[in-house]
Amino acid sequence: MSLHGSPSPAGSEGGFTLIEVLVALAITLIALAVLTGGISGSLRTASGTGHWIRAISHAESHMAAITDPARILGERQGHDGDGFRWLTRVAFVTSAPAPDGVRGGPWARGTGLYSVSVTIFWHEGRAERSFVLEGARLGPLAGS
């Protein structure tokens, strides 16, 4: 029966046609594909961000470990594990002489300024990534 009390036309049962169901299914599949793509992109970004954070942490640790730059002039390299490699470069920049007779031991010849850089390398897929941390350190002059 219709809303007005008259009988409904023959063959109209109030269900969905096959075409309507297929269109709704197609729209749902397209929406799921878009959402899945967005989620996988977000996961890749989060993974990449995690690598950057770990690389920065490794670089800061290596930089902090350089307490006497005069002893490690030049380049050194090694592995930190988990696919991370490191390279340090220490170069002499300039010096200041020690005050007359005031200092003894390794500082007796004066203070040196050293340029220090730490590079961390890792792979993301087929691409090699790197992060460089640069700074300066004071230390006794080399050879003292």
Side-chain angles (χ1 to χ4, degrees):
M1 297 207 60
S2 71
L3 291 175
H4 300 291
S6 59
S8 48
S12 67
E13 296 291 322
F16 294 104
T17 66
L18 181 59
I19 300 265
E20 292 170 330
V21 170
L22 290 176
V23 168
L25 182 62
I27 291 171
T28 302
L29 290 175
I30 290 170
L32 284 174
V34 169
L35 287 173
T36 303
I39 290 170
S40 67
S42 296
L43 290 173
R44 277 193 304 274
T45 300
S47 174
T49 302
H51 285 118
W52 281 98
I53 290 170
R54 288 176 36 213
I56 292 168
S57 177
H58 285 296
E60 288 174 338
S61 293
H62 285 284
M63 183 69 80
I66 299 174
T67 57
D68 189 355
R71 291 188 179 200
I72 58 170
L73 287 171
E75 291 186 357
R76 293 180 180 212
Q77 59 184 343
H79 295 273
D80 281 334
D82 295 335
F84 288 91
R85 293 183 304 113
W86 56 269
L87 170 69
T88 61
R89 290 186 179 102
V90 179
F92 176 77
V93 177
T94 190
S95 65
D100 294 332
V102 175
R103 291 187 180 167
W107 296 87
R109 291 185 47 206
T111 301
L113 176 63
Y114 300 87
S115 168
V116 179
S117 74
V118 177
T119 306
I120 304 294
F121 302 93
W122 72 96
H123 283 91
E124 280 184 25
R126 293 182 182 174
E128 182 174 67
R129 306 277 187 226
S130 64
F131 172 76
V132 179
L133 182 60
E134 296 180 335
R137 291 280 188 266
L138 293 175
L141 292 176
S144 48

